[in-house]
Amino acid sequence: MADQTLMIVKPDAVAKNAIGQIIARVESDGFVVRQLRMMHLSHGQAEAFYDVHKERPFYGELVDFMMSGPVVPMVFV
């Protein structure tokens, strides 16, 4: 199995309609999109994903930001 990379287009980039530009740039570097979807992260999902930063002062703001609008998680190979 090939190595996989997870990338999340964050709410601010989704709001700017930059999803296509971001995908095009990653694809131009030779990556291939295998999966993607648009979704809203729940509080629990955002907390779990960023758990590694739980003790940092920005953790709460990061969780709130990631829940502030839709995100587009993608898997590249």
Side-chain angles (χ1 to χ4, degrees), residues 59-71:
Y59 175 75
E61 291 177 24
L62 177 60
V63 169
D64 289 344
F65 169 66
M66 291 304 291
M67 294 180 349
S68 69
V71 297

Side-chain angles (χ1 to χ4, degrees), residues 19-72:
I19 301 165
Q21 294 169 326
I22 293 168
I23 293 171
R25 181 164 182 178
V26 174
E27 287 180 327
S28 73
D29 287 340
F31 291 92
V32 177
V33 177
R34 288 291 177 222
Q35 295 179 15
L36 73 102
R37 67 180 174 157
M38 183 177 286
M39 62 183 291
H40 282 85
L41 292 177
S42 70
H43 192 262
Q45 288 171 320
E47 282 186 329
F49 189 77
Y50 290 104
D51 188 62
V52 66
H53 299 299
K54 192 170 190 164
E55 300 303 320
R56 309 243 179 186
F58 58 82
Y59 175 75
E61 291 177 24
L62 177 60
V63 169
D64 289 344
F65 169 66
M66 291 304 291
M67 294 180 349
S68 69
V71 297
V72 180

